[in-house]
Amino acid sequence: MAESSTPAYREPSVATLRHTLPKLLKNPLGTLVGLADAAPGQVVQLNLGTIRPYLVVEPAHVQHVLRDNAANYTRAGDSMLWKSVKKIAGDGILAEGPDWEASRRRLQPHFTAKRIDAVVDGLSRAISDAVDELNAPARNGEPVDAASEISRIICQAVIRVFFGDKISVADGVRIVAEQNTVATALRFRLLIPFLPDAVPMPGDRALRRAVRNIDTIVLPLVRAEQAHDDGSDDFVASLARGRDAHGHKLDEQRVRDDLVSIFVTATETTYTALTWIFPLLEQRPEVAARLYAEIDRVVGPGDVISHQQLGELRYTRMVLDELVRAYPSGWLVPRTAIADDLIGGTRVRAGDTIILSPYVTQRLARFWDRPTVFDPERFAPDTPRRAHRYAYYPFGGGAHQCIGQYFFQVEAPLIVATLLSRFRYRLCTPGMPSPRLAATLRPGERLPLLLTPHRQPALA
Ligand code: HEM
């Protein structure tokens, strides 16, 4: 058993079913933050009847689970999130154990800063082309749906740089739609996690159908790549040519799992995060004004943003750092304890569910000044360093740290700056939507936007 930073034994703070469940069902995230704020330095046990997961939010405790004693905390346990992720992403990088390790080894080289920097121009061009499609609705005064448009732009970008345009954007958008079905199907199981798998829930059938539909798109692509090696070195081709540790050709299911894992993580997390930017900027006009001023200074009318311009978008990056503090799409990072352990002095037993949540930690009042205020200044270069590395971990940590973090940090400013250099927007339904509990953190309501052209050379 490994010891954590607090050696003395400590009872967890217990939140009981009778008090907690109604609040959790009504306002899950606010309730979790409230419980954590009320128990400084403590692990919180959520006493939900037959299951009693531990909410672990103190940065030192998060570090213990994700890094210092990570070997004791697995994704291959009973947690609903990972069981459901497995249904869609299979036994690849989102799994655990030797399959995860092999997959991580295969995929990691494609996500180094060097590899991503090399595709910035192609990525920026793909984003620019995708944003161009908003010219017509902007000209005609037709509202567009923020989430659908951001997800289409991301799909086009990801398909261009990782899939070498080998699937159509229409198929990419279909995969995202199927993912949405999966993310929402999970909703019921995340809300009522103590229900056994055998109890059917709304959304289960939709989940199975969504996975079948994704396979109809991805498997033929994998088969075609494996049958005809044309020597190309894009992501799909190099995965399809991949070999396992014994030098054997990877079977099609492994390649499928890697491709689907990357496609879903690259699209879902980014578009759910970026969708929040529209209501947030409306809430903070002074942040919006500063962001617009930077973008207008750095990006000329109609520009495809260059690598150098990207480097000059400093405030844009601060806005995005703050965005994933306040609305981290990976809000829930569960684990299952393999053996008994102490977390911050609290005993957890083999088989217990541990709930980590970047959302909750990144809103703890004792680590963040005015945590509910959207304030990019927290990430200004001259702001003192945070009290603890794990007070801010939107991209996780330890061996499972997000492999797409650098890609996000390049792609997201390109999307925001391309869009806002060409358009201004108004939300048709003003106000801040509440988050909706799903596998990722998404706005609970649709966000229709009215775009108006801004400084464009001449709209086609
Ligand atoms: C706002 C954007 C993103 C957020 C907030 C985010 C968050 C996270 C978090 C919290 C983890 C850790 C999961 C765990 O410990 O179990 C993770 C892992 C992962 N992320 Fe991201 N991510 C984002 C973007 C991306 C992108 C763009 C990609 C791909 C291009 C990506 C691919 C992955 C993969 C493959 C893993 C699993 C790594 C492993 O277990 O070895 N993510 N991400």
Side-chain angles (χ1 to χ4, degrees):
M1 184 195 300
E3 187 49 77
S4 79
S5 53
T6 313
Y9 177 72
R10 206 166 177 195
E11 289 291 337
S13 161
V14 178
T16 58
L17 178 67
R18 195 160 59 84
H19 284 111
T20 319
L21 195 60
K23 288 193 204 148
L24 267 181
L25 291 172
K26 199 158 154 232
N27 174 12
L29 292 163
T31 304
L32 294 179
V33 174
L35 290 170
D37 268 337
Q42 261 180 300
V43 168
V44 178
Q45 188 178 27
L46 299 170
N47 193 340
L48 302 173
T50 51
I51 71 145
R52 298 180 178 200
Y54 290 92
L55 178 65
V56 172
V57 296
E58 188 72 19
H61 304 167
V62 174
Q63 174 173 320
H64 178 83
V65 173
L66 285 185
R67 207 191 69 185
D68 301 345
N69 197 22
N72 191 48
Y73 296 95
T74 176
R75 298 196 293 210
D78 263 350
S79 114
M80 275 307 147
L81 179 76
W82 294 119
K83 273 172 126 174
S84 307
V85 164
K86 190 180 162 81
K87 285 185 185 145
I88 181 170
D91 292 314
I93 192 157
L94 296 174
E96 196 60 279
D99 286 333
W100 161 74
E101 227 175 308
S103 188
R104 176 116 193 167
R105 251 200 319 274
R106 279 195 299 276
L107 292 171
Q108 184 116 43
H110 296 274
F111 290 89
T112 59
K114 199 165 154 218
R115 285 293 274 271
I116 300 300
D117 283 341
V119 299
V120 166
D121 290 339
L123 181 64
S124 186
R125 162 69 58 194
I127 290 168
S128 171
D129 292 348
V131 171
D132 275 346
E133 292 181 29
L134 294 169
N135 287 343
R139 198 174 40 217
N140 301 333
E142 290 160 17
V144 294
D145 177 62
S148 313
E149 292 306 322
I150 293 287
S151 105
R152 178 184 59 76
I153 293 166
I154 289 167
C155 260
Q156 269 175 256
V158 166
I159 286 172
R160 179 82 54 87
V161 297
F162 290 127
F163 290 73
D165 284 331
K166 286 174 177 170
I167 56 174
S168 68
V169 173
D171 276 346
V173 169
R174 268 177 57 208
I175 297 179
V176 174
E178 299 299 358
Q179 260 167 262
N180 281 336
T181 312
V182 173
T184 336
L186 286 183
R187 191 174 141 76
F188 295 97
R189 293 210 176 269
L190 289 175
L191 278 172
I192 314 178
F194 40 84
L195 267 188
D197 259 3
V199 178
M201 293 290 282
D204 286 357
R205 274 230 314 271
L207 193 146
R208 282 195 295 276
R209 201 173 45 236
V211 173
R212 266 202 314 275
N213 290 345
I214 291 175
D215 283 353
T216 315
I217 298 169
V218 176
L219 280 175
L221 170 67
V222 174
R223 285 175 194 143
E225 287 292 318
Q226 289 195 315
H228 310 286
D229 179 357
D230 63 1
S232 56
D233 70 345
D234 60 66
F235 182 65
V236 179
S238 88
L239 287 187
R241 275 200 303 270
R243 305 260 152 189
D244 66 17
H246 311 287
H248 302 134
K249 202 171 160 187
L250 284 183
D251 72 53
E252 68 177 33
Q253 194 60 32
R254 281 289 98 85
V255 182
R256 174 261 177 226
D257 290 350
D258 281 348
L259 286 178
V260 172
S261 301
I262 291 305
F263 194 84
V264 300
T265 50
T267 52
E268 166 92 12
T269 49
T270 307
Y271 99 79
T272 49
L274 288 187
T275 305
W276 287 103
I277 206 163
F278 300 103
L280 282 168
L281 291 180
E282 278 213 337
Q283 300 288 305
R284 294 294 314 271
E286 65 290 7
V287 172
R290 209 174 141 192
L291 180 67
Y292 288 146
E294 174 176 271
I295 293 172
D296 283 354
R297 182 173 49 76
V298 173
V299 184
D303 277 2
V304 175
I305 298 171
S306 67
H307 207 291
Q308 191 196 331
Q309 286 167 312
L310 177 65
E312 290 168 31
L313 293 168
R314 292 186 189 90
Y315 188 69
T316 310
R317 280 204 304 277
M318 284 161 56
V319 169
L320 291 163
D321 288 344
E322 172 67 346
L323 181 74
V324 292
R325 179 197 69 85
Y327 292 93
S329 17
W331 70 277
L332 175 71
V333 183
R335 295 287 191 264
T336 303
I338 294 174
D340 295 0
D341 191 16
L342 290 177
I343 303 178
T346 293
R347 185 173 306 285
V348 296
R349 306 275 178 201
D352 282 343
T353 299
I354 310 298
I355 298 176
L356 306 180
S357 171
Y359 180 95
V360 177
T361 298
Q362 293 169 185
R363 283 171 180 254
L364 286 178
R366 55 191 184 276
F367 285 93
W368 296 92
D369 180 33
R370 297 170 304 131
T372 56
V373 175
F374 184 75
D375 180 12
E377 282 309 310
R378 301 177 202 278
F379 294 92
D382 51 0
T383 302
R385 280 167 59 86
R386 277 172 294 283
H388 195 285
R389 149 72 178 94
Y390 283 90
Y392 180 72
Y393 69 108
F395 297 98
H400 287 297
Q401 164 103 23
C402 178
I403 62 167
Q405 176 173 353
Y406 188 73
F407 181 69
F408 173 82
Q409 285 163 344
V410 166
E411 179 195 30
L414 286 176
I415 292 175
V416 169
T418 303
L419 200 60
L420 298 181
S421 67
R422 299 181 190 183
F423 303 101
R424 291 290 179 264
Y425 73 91
R426 188 164 59 72
L427 275 176
C428 302
T429 48
M432 200 62 209
S434 336
R436 176 175 186 202
L437 191 79
T440 54
L441 192 68
R442 43 183 69 211
E445 293 115 54
R446 289 170 72 83
L447 295 172
L449 303 177
L450 262 180
L451 299 174
T452 46
H454 172 68
R455 286 200 330 161
Q456 294 204 31
L459 286 186

